[in-house]
Amino acid sequence: MRDDVQRQASRTSGATPNASSHETTVSEDFVERRLATNDAVTSALAESASLEIAAPRILEAICENWSWQVGILWLAHESPLEFRCLHSHCAPECAAPDLVSWCRSHTLMPGDDLVSSVWKTGEPAWVSNLDPWLSNASDGRQDGTEAVAARAGLRSAFAFPIVIGTRRLGVFEFFGSRERPTERELFKMSNLIGSQVGQFIERHNAERALQRSHDTFLNLIQNAPFGILLVDSSFTVSRVSAGATKLFSAVRPLLGRKLDEVLRVVWCEPFATELGREFRNTLISGDRFHRSCVKQRRADTGRDEAYDWQLERITMPDGTRGVVCYFYDMTEYLRTQEALRESEQRYRAVVESQTEMVCRFRTDGTILFANEAYARGFGKRAADLVNLNFWTIIAPEDRKYVEELLGRLNPSNPEIRIENRVLTTEGVRWFLWTNRALEFDEQGRCVEAQSTGVDITDRKAAESQRQLLIDELNHRVKNTLAVVQGIAQQTFTPDASP
């Protein structure tokens, strides 16, 4: 495609030495037209808020100063790649309404046309005569912009890319009513215009992205369920979230009020002044401020409430600095924590007052909690037993048996009783342990349990003594029966003498 364009340019522009000389000579007329074009393009970009506004003036300036009858600005859109007409210009003396209408209603896909060629190479391209260029190429060109232009009576074409660095953003395409040799000076000028427009697009894309980011940020602030307060550089409240209305319900109106005034309405001194000082320090130094669970007395309600406070410096949409304050009502959380602590203290008091041994453990043997009764049995403090392994206090001959029984704990059988010997400061003692599973893994195996133990050594000793007595009695009964049986046999044996 590119070689075809260049060959066409060479056949036309290189026909005679005079034509070559004309191509490389920078005339006074060219300088004037170049300056006029540059001024028009620069003014259009400087005075326009968007490329949509600047494009008509740019196309008109290039067409008028360089004798093109039609100008089109194609912008590239990715995923998938396609080119859409942003704007087109048609000179008053040119009757090509079909071409302008076609461009505005069609989307170009990458192919063998002039726009695609310029996009691929990143370089300007010139077609001196459209008829041979169209006839010497693939059928794909017959359906493109150039074919529509040729049918409208246009004979030559020129296109150059819009670039920013190595990225290409779009293509300018122009058509003339007569055959034209390649004008290399126009190539140089087009590189400058393409770069200017590319920078304009990039800058406005960045500005739009920044504005969208600010809009999103401000929208998040306004609709956030938790507390957000935005203060500008003059320490005036400029934005507040929906979740902040509870804290500042006594301040009406809130937006536009000075921060110090707002804080004094809500909080008692000296906290109101201290918090205002932190806002100022964050704005001036940029240091982030964070304090957790700050409990203070409110000036408007007289109640004690606790909040998490976080301050950060930000850049406002107008470029000035401000401070965003995130705050979370922790009052209920603290009340819940205090209730849990009280409940835990009551639970511990009950557990500590028990004479039974209580131990919470992982099934790998790690002790998580032990009461004082448990600790006294091993001559230690309860805190010293945490993270130790209880398998070391179980009599070696009972460990396999205990491990096997604990392994039977599961969601359908969460409790099991085990009698085993334990190594205490008083020697080996027998205990009855009631083991209750507290947590299971995904496979239903117990990973944490609590055990309550009762010393049954005396009971075991009594049972052993009773068993000894029973065994002795059985032995004596057996001996007595043996004597009786012997006597009976002697008494009732028939006399065999004559």
Side-chain angles (χ1 to χ4, degrees):
M1 167 79 183
R2 178 66 179 166
D3 293 341
D4 190 16
V5 173
Q6 294 298 341
R7 284 195 298 270
Q8 175 67 29
S10 298
R11 285 197 298 270
T12 305
S13 62
T16 65
N18 288 337
S20 177
S21 174
H22 172 75
E23 188 175 328
T24 57
T25 300
V26 180
S27 65
E28 221 175 89
D29 177 62
F30 169 79
V31 173
E32 291 178 358
R33 288 187 293 160
R34 184 186 64 185
L35 291 175
T37 304
N38 287 341
D39 288 345
V41 171
T42 302
S43 297
L45 295 176
E47 297 168 4
S48 302
S50 66
L51 187 60
E52 289 83 353
I53 299 174
R57 294 172 59 183
I58 295 173
L59 291 171
E60 183 180 4
I62 296 175
C63 286
E64 287 185 357
N65 286 299
W66 299 96
S67 301
W68 296 108
Q69 276 63 53
V70 176
I72 307 162
L73 174 52
W74 300 98
L75 285 184
H77 296 264
E78 304 287 347
S79 303
L81 176 63
E82 60 183 20
F83 303 95
R84 301 175 192 168
C85 174
L86 178 68
H87 192 76
S88 59
H89 172 79
C90 186
E93 71 277 7
C94 178
D98 291 343
L99 173 60
V100 172
S101 176
W102 188 93
C103 291
R104 291 176 178 175
S105 61
H106 281 71
T107 298
L108 298 184
M109 304 304 294
D112 199 26
D113 58 293
L114 190 61
V115 172
S116 297
S117 173
V118 170
W119 175 265
K120 291 174 186 175
T121 63
E123 298 291 340
W126 190 289
V127 178
S128 297
N129 191 334
L130 283 173
D131 290 336
W133 184 81
L134 289 168
S135 61
N136 293 337
S138 64
D139 293 338
R141 290 185 184 176
Q142 304 304 320
D143 299 323
T145 314
E146 295 76 27
V148 178
R151 289 194 292 269
L154 299 170
R155 291 290 172 263
S156 54
F158 170 56
F160 63 89
I162 301 171
V163 297
I164 179 71
T166 58
R167 293 192 300 115
R168 295 182 281 279
L169 307 177
V171 175
F172 279 103
E173 187 175 29
F174 299 91
F175 294 98
S177 59
R178 59 182 175 82
E179 295 184 23
R180 293 177 63 168
T182 303
E183 300 173 21
R184 294 294 175 185
E185 293 81 3
L186 196 53
F187 276 38
K188 297 176 183 178
M189 189 192 69
S190 69
N191 289 334
L192 176 62
I193 295 175
S195 178
Q196 280 182 288
V197 175
Q199 292 174 23
F200 179 87
I201 294 174
E202 186 76 359
R203 183 174 66 254
H204 279 263
N205 285 343
E207 290 174 356
R208 282 197 296 268
L210 181 60
Q211 186 60 49
R212 285 195 298 270
S213 177
H214 279 298
D215 292 344
T216 300
F217 175 68
L218 295 177
N219 184 61
L220 287 173
I221 287 179
Q222 187 169 348
N223 298 308
F226 50 86
I228 301 180
L229 186 74
L230 189 59
V231 179
D232 62 23
S233 57
S234 64
F235 287 96
T236 300
V237 178
S238 62
R239 287 287 191 283
V240 64
S241 70
T245 55
K246 176 186 174 183
L247 176 61
F248 297 107
S249 58
V251 185
R252 290 289 183 273
L254 179 57
L255 298 181
R257 297 283 288 273
K258 290 295 183 180
L259 175 67
D260 292 333
E261 180 184 352
V262 171
L263 294 179
R264 283 194 295 270
V265 171
V266 177
W267 298 108
C268 293
E269 294 291 357
F271 180 68
T273 299
E274 291 173 357
L275 188 57
R277 189 182 302 120
E278 294 299 341
F279 269 86
R280 284 176 168 78
N281 179 66
T282 298
L283 180 67
I284 296 169
S285 67
D287 294 338
R288 181 183 177 190
F289 171 79
H290 180 239
R291 285 178 63 183
S292 298
C293 294
V294 182
K295 190 174 184 180
Q296 294 291 332
R297 177 68 53 86
R298 290 188 58 155
D300 55 346
T301 65
R303 295 194 299 266
D304 288 340
E305 293 185 1
Y307 284 83
D308 261 7
W309 296 96
Q310 182 175 314
L311 307 179
E312 294 182 6
R313 187 171 71 182
I314 63 168
T315 300
M316 304 288 281
D318 61 0
T320 61
R321 288 176 174 172
V323 176
V324 60
C325 171
Y326 305 97
F327 55 92
Y328 310 88
D329 189 346
M330 306 294 290
T331 307
E332 289 302 321
Y333 171 79
L334 286 184
R335 289 173 183 164
T336 303
Q337 289 291 94
E338 290 171 1
L340 287 174
R341 280 194 295 269
E342 291 175 0
S343 176
E344 183 177 0
Q345 289 171 358
R346 288 194 297 269
Y347 169 75
R348 285 182 176 271
V350 171
V351 171
E352 297 296 349
S353 65
Q354 288 182 323
T355 57
E356 296 90 348
M357 290 184 172
V358 179
C359 172
R360 191 168 72 249
F361 60 92
R362 296 193 185 97
T363 48
D364 64 1
T366 304
I367 296 175
L368 303 176
F369 167 80
N371 70 345
E372 290 299 330
Y374 189 96
R376 283 194 299 270
F378 307 103
K380 295 181 179 293
R381 295 184 308 152
D384 296 335
L385 288 173
V386 175
N387 292 326
L388 295 183
N389 197 296
F390 75 76
W391 291 110
T392 59
I393 64 176
I394 296 176
E397 56 269 33
D398 291 346
R399 289 174 188 171
K400 186 175 181 181
Y401 162 73
V402 173
E403 184 177 7
E404 179 184 349
L405 290 181
L406 288 178
R408 297 179 185 176
L409 290 170
N410 57 64
S412 60
N413 182 35
E415 186 173 297
I416 193 168
R417 305 181 78 180
I418 303 175
E419 294 182 3
N420 63 274
R421 285 160 289 190
V422 176
L423 307 177
T424 71
T425 53
E426 299 177 5
V428 178
R429 307 283 294 180
W430 277 94
F431 278 83
L432 170 62
W433 299 99
T434 301
N435 300 279
R436 180 76 182 182
L438 301 178
E439 184 178 343
F440 300 94
D441 61 14
E442 295 178 355
Q443 287 73 40
R445 295 172 299 198
C446 177
V447 294
E448 185 177 326
Q450 180 166 297
S451 184
T452 302
V454 179
D455 191 331
I456 59 171
T457 305
D458 293 341
R459 193 196 77 187
K460 279 288 190 181
E463 289 176 353
S464 178
Q465 183 65 29
R466 184 178 61 183
Q467 189 62 44
L468 286 174
L469 291 174
I470 291 173
D471 292 343
E472 178 66 21
L473 181 60
N474 288 337
H475 177 69
R476 291 181 180 182
V477 169
K478 287 180 181 179
N479 289 341
T480 302
L481 287 174
V483 172
V484 171
Q485 287 176 350
I487 295 173
Q489 288 176 357
Q490 289 294 328
T491 301
F492 296 105
T493 296
D495 188 357
S497 57

